[in-house]
Amino acid sequence: MMKMKAENIGLDYGQHTALQNISFQLEGNKIYGLLGRNGAGKTSLLSIVASFQEQTTGTLTVLEQAPFENAEIMQQVVFAYNKDYKEESDQVKNLLAGIAKYRPNFDMEYAQHLLARFKIPQDKKMKQLSKGMQAAVDAVIGLASNAPVTIFDEIYAGMDAPTRTIFYEELLKSQERFPRMILMSTHLVSEMEYLFDEVLILHKGTMILHEAYEELISKGVTVTGRVEDVEVFVQPMRQLNTQQLGGTKAVMVYGDLSEQQYKEAARRGLEIGPIALQDLFIYLTEEGND
């Protein structure tokens, strides 16, 4: 089983601390969502996992080995991100052929299928493609490499909505075909949350949360009903957001509700609904909630 363990990872760039005391353990063929606002440290952390750089402090192991400058482990990790292709004169098909030589699990037939789905002309030079098509090629590389650890760092940037939808569809199909550990970073949560098995949230260079997706979203609810009843019911709770329309109020709260509280809500005629991961993410990473 694929395992990855980070213990007290820190990363400094001169006087700037990008990451501090990052610890987590990942196991199995799951899709992990790494969430964080811009500048939270997502790319810094993923570049350490991909051996693009070494942490300043702490330890990282993949299959109980340190990945940095470890050829055996590095071959099992692919890091897909939006590269700069403005000087790249290789045709798409030649670029993929070159990558396939260094990726033992690369599936060229599957890569061709993906290129067709994304409508990417194989004979065009990379620098001639639009930003969206270049991003799609990066996604093809990540998916078709079939690496046991596959990282997508905000790979959707530049893609339009239909292209992103194709990417999400193919990601799930690919995971079913060739199960692996997938790490996906994003600060755009709403359209991607259904992909995640587990969620990690980075905020200002520290890990503030790591939980199974289903457990995490079950910790928040929306309480809707008459203004007076809602206000009394949510008064002792951790409130995330409030909306009011006329005599009706809806309040998002964070924390598990007891059986007694559910009964109390029913008695007051209040409606209890689910909360979106994006709402939780926004609240947990807001200024003042550190």
Side-chain angles (χ1 to χ4, degrees):
M1 180 190 290
M2 179 55 68
K3 290 185 180 179
M4 183 185 301
K5 188 175 184 181
E7 292 184 297
N8 301 316
I9 283 181
L11 181 66
D12 297 326
Y13 296 116
Q15 299 298 307
H16 172 65
T17 298
L19 300 171
Q20 53 187 331
N21 298 322
I22 301 284
S23 297
F24 59 84
Q25 189 161 327
L26 311 183
E27 289 187 9
N29 300 319
K30 298 177 182 177
I31 300 178
Y32 293 91
L34 178 62
L35 313 184
R37 297 190 178 216
N38 287 331
K42 301 186 299 297
T43 297
S44 294
L45 178 58
L46 294 176
S47 66
I48 291 170
V49 173
S51 300
F52 279 36
Q53 61 183 334
E54 190 174 21
Q55 65 271 18
T56 310
T57 57
T59 59
L60 175 74
T61 56
V62 178
L63 291 174
E64 300 182 349
Q65 297 183 57
F68 189 70
E69 294 184 343
N70 181 331
E72 183 186 342
I73 297 297
M74 288 169 69
Q75 206 173 44
Q76 299 188 62
V77 181
V78 66
F79 187 21
Y81 62 98
N82 288 135
K83 297 186 185 73
D84 183 356
Y85 289 110
K86 66 174 179 282
E87 304 295 332
E88 182 57 70
S89 55
D90 257 1
Q91 293 177 320
V92 173
K93 60 183 178 184
N94 294 335
L95 180 81
L96 295 181
I99 289 167
K101 289 178 184 175
Y102 302 98
R103 290 289 169 191
N105 298 323
F106 197 93
D107 185 340
M108 188 57 81
E109 189 178 329
Y110 180 48
Q112 303 281 355
H113 160 77
L114 291 172
L115 291 176
R117 279 223 70 190
F118 286 123
K119 296 183 170 57
I120 298 169
Q122 298 188 44
D123 294 330
K124 263 202 171 182
K125 293 178 180 179
M126 284 299 299
K127 64 182 181 182
Q128 294 174 327
L129 298 180
S130 67
K131 284 287 182 191
M133 281 191 174
Q134 289 177 357
V137 171
D138 291 324
V140 170
I141 293 166
L143 291 171
S145 290
N146 288 333
V149 178
T150 299
I151 301 168
F152 293 103
D153 186 18
E154 302 204 348
I155 197 75
Y156 54 78
M159 294 182 185
D160 58 20
T163 306
R164 293 197 305 273
T165 299
I166 292 170
F167 170 55
Y168 304 148
E169 288 173 2
E170 290 294 341
L171 177 80
L172 293 174
K173 287 180 189 173
S174 177
Q175 179 70 339
E176 198 173 314
R177 234 179 85 258
F178 193 94
R180 69 201 99 164
M181 179 181 286
I182 295 176
L183 282 71
M184 301 186 71
S185 77
T186 183
H187 63 275
L188 302 174
V189 183
S190 58
E191 70 178 33
M192 294 175 69
E193 65 175 273
Y194 74 97
L195 300 170
F196 306 142
D197 296 304
E198 293 186 21
V199 174
L200 299 90
I201 298 182
L202 271 181
H203 185 50
K204 296 182 179 178
T206 62
M207 186 75 70
I208 62 169
L209 182 146
H210 176 198
E211 285 196 51
Y213 170 75
E214 294 295 343
E215 287 178 24
L216 178 57
I217 60 167
S218 72
K219 288 189 174 177
V221 295
T222 302
V223 182
T224 308
R226 283 196 325 142
V227 173
E228 300 82 2
D229 288 314
V230 170
E231 286 176 350
V232 171
F233 183 77
V234 303
Q235 191 273 324
M237 301 176 186
R238 190 173 167 186
Q239 299 174 33
L240 278 62
N241 189 23
T242 300
Q243 291 181 325
Q244 187 171 334
L245 184 63
T248 301
K249 193 168 190 174
V251 179
M252 286 189 291
V253 297
Y254 183 65
D256 294 315
L257 263 59
S258 66
E259 190 177 337
Q260 189 60 39
Q261 285 172 311
Y262 275 105
K263 286 179 180 175
E264 172 69 7
R267 188 183 69 78
R268 290 180 175 274
L270 301 177
E271 186 180 322
I272 304 293
I275 189 171
L277 176 59
Q278 172 140 320
D279 294 322
L280 279 174
F281 165 66
I282 289 170
Y283 175 76
L284 292 170
T285 59
E286 265 179 350
E287 297 297 326
N289 291 329
D290 303 345

